[in-house]
């Protein structure tokens, strides 16, 4: 797949996830995290199932043979990350939650290095540092001394569990190269809903009273649930998990843009931080370009000698 198309998919995935943060702030005030998680994925399944069946036309019997990996992905990515994210917002401030979430790319790089034996090039590492610094700059509004005064509470600890859950999900996704991405997401969602159903019966279901809450749930069921997961999973088939993880820093930038469209202001510090994040992502996207060019040149020389 064309690398620019892969990068576009990563950009769209994180744009939709940024919207999830914006709506999540309103929805979690009225709806329990368990109900949010179940509702968004139930709505998503209505779209995912026909998309998988008619676009990818998978051999379902072959797909279900990978049920062990799909079960883990359902627990980690479909249930784990989303439920923990909404639960964290009940206990922590947006400042702390965003700061903890910004560690996600670094965690993915670390886990990918240990579990997948992926090598971190100098440009990859530089891009990670630059983009992470941009995120910190935005979150602290340019006053880096705030980092010394943050009090991490239960919500912050829950966010740490959330990013670890997402990291493991991203790594597990690398094991499903034989299963089409939409199909893999669809089956994971089906398994997740079955697992969540007993808890929904025990907890009960509350119909949202506010139109904004209802709109938020519909958005979550379509864009971050269907769009983001499909784009993310497709991209992970063609890029290292560590490199893809750096793109998650763009969530902060896109959240700022959406806030601007909603009438909120964006400061100079946020613009500078956004520039650093994009710079870091760009450096990461070039991390292995030199290596690929050298490999191609070497193969060309070998071919010439053989002739």
């Amino acid at each position: 797949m064309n690398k620019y198309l892969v990068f576009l998919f990563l950009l769209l995935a994180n744009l939709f996830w940024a919207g999830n943060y914006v709506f999540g702030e309103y929805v979690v005030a009225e709806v329990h995290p368990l109900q949010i998680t179940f509702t968004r994925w139930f709505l998503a399944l209505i779209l995912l199932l026909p998309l998988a069946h008619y676009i990818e036309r998978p051999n379902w019997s072959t797909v279900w043979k990978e049920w062990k990996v799909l079960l883990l992905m359902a627990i980690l990515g479909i249930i784990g990350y989303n439920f923990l994210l909404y639960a964290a917002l009940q206990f922590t401030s947006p400042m702390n939650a965003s700061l903890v979430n910004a560690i996600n790319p670094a965690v993915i790089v670390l886990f990918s290095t240990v579990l997948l034996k992926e090598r971190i090039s100098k440009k990859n590492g530089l891009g990670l540092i630059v983009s992470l610094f941009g995120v910190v700059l935005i979150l602290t509004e340019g006053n880096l001394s705030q980092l010394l005064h943050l009090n991490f509470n239960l919500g912050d600890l829950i966010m740490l569990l959330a990013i670890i859950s997402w990291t493991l999900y991203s790594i597990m996704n690398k094991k499903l190269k034989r299963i089409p991405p939409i199909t893999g997401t669809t089956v994971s969602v089906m398994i997740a809903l079955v697992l969540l159903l007993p808890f929904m019966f025990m907890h009960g279901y509350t119909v949202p009273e506010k139109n904004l809450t209802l709109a938020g749930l519909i958005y979550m069921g379509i864009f971050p649930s269907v769009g983001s997961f499909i784009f993310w999973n497709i991209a992970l088939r063609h890029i290292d998990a560590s490199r893809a993880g750096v793109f998650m820093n763009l969530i902060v930038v896109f959240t700022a843009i959406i806030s601007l469209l909603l009438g909120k202001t964006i400061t100079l510090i946020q613009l500078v931080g956004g520039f650093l994040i994009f710079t870091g992502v760009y450096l990461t996207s070039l991390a292995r370009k030199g290596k690929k060019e050298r490999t191609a040149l070497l193969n060309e020389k070998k071919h010439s000698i053989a002739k």
Side-chain angles (χ1 to χ4, degrees), residues 72-101:
L72 288 175
M73 291 180 64
I75 295 173
L76 294 170
I78 308 301
I79 298 176
Y81 177 79
N82 294 280
F83 177 79
L84 291 170
L85 168 62
Y86 300 132
L89 291 176
Q90 294 182 317
F91 300 100
T92 190
S93 65
M95 171 72 174
N96 282 20
S98 299
L99 181 58
V100 174
N101 187 71

Side-chain angles (χ1 to χ4, degrees), residues 7-245:
F7 296 154
L8 175 61
F9 285 169
L10 290 172
L11 289 174
L12 290 175
N14 287 285
L15 172 61
F16 296 155
W17 276 323
N20 185 40
Y21 274 83
V22 174
F23 277 109
E25 182 181 359
Y26 300 101
V27 177
V28 76
E30 185 180 357
V31 181
H32 190 274
L34 176 64
Q35 182 176 331
I36 298 175
T37 305
F38 182 86
T39 302
R40 65 174 286 189
W41 289 115
F42 178 79
L43 294 174
L45 183 62
I46 297 175
L47 298 175
L48 286 171
L49 193 56
L51 284 175
H53 185 72
Y54 291 107
I55 293 178
E56 295 180 338
R57 299 186 179 279
N59 184 332
W60 292 103
S61 60
T62 301
V63 173
W64 283 106
K65 290 181 180 179
E66 301 288 344
W67 69 270
K68 293 181 181 179
V69 177
L70 292 168
L71 173 61
L72 288 175
M73 291 180 64
I75 295 173
L76 294 170
I78 308 301
I79 298 176
Y81 177 79
N82 294 280
F83 177 79
L84 291 170
L85 168 62
Y86 300 132
L89 291 176
Q90 294 182 317
F91 300 100
T92 190
S93 65
M95 171 72 174
N96 282 20
S98 299
L99 181 58
V100 174
N101 187 71
I103 305 174
N104 207 337
V107 175
I108 290 180
V109 170
L110 177 62
F111 276 64
S112 298
T113 302
V114 175
L115 300 179
L116 299 180
K117 308 300 180 183
E118 292 183 1
R119 298 181 62 183
I120 304 177
S121 68
K122 292 181 180 179
K123 287 184 179 179
N124 196 314
L126 178 61
L128 174 64
I129 294 173
V130 171
S131 59
L132 185 58
F133 180 74
V135 171
V136 173
L137 194 65
I138 291 175
L139 296 177
T140 60
E141 298 181 351
N143 184 12
L144 299 181
S145 62
Q146 289 188 36
L147 296 174
L148 302 176
H149 305 290
L150 290 175
N151 296 317
F152 292 97
N153 55 27
L154 177 61
D156 302 323
L157 297 178
I158 295 176
M159 277 302 301
L160 282 174
L161 293 176
I163 65 174
I164 292 175
S165 181
W166 182 258
T167 297
L168 294 175
Y169 169 84
S170 298
I171 292 176
M172 289 298 298
N173 185 68
K174 303 289 287 185
K175 297 181 177 294
L176 291 178
K177 293 184 177 181
R178 294 183 298 175
I179 297 179
I182 302 178
T183 302
T185 304
T186 302
V187 176
S188 296
V189 170
M190 293 173 65
I191 295 174
L193 290 175
V194 172
L195 295 176
L196 287 172
L197 195 58
F199 298 97
M200 285 298 301
F201 278 119
M202 290 187 292
H203 182 269
Y205 193 91
T206 303
V207 178
E209 297 180 358
K210 299 179 181 179
N211 292 333
L212 182 59
T213 303
L214 182 60
L217 286 173
I218 294 174
Y219 172 88
M220 292 174 178
I222 297 175
F223 293 98
S225 300
V226 179
S228 292
F229 269 71
I230 289 177
F231 289 147
W232 179 263
N233 289 340
I234 291 175
L236 281 180
R237 306 295 174 91
H238 305 279
I239 190 173
D240 289 342
S242 57
R243 294 179 65 193

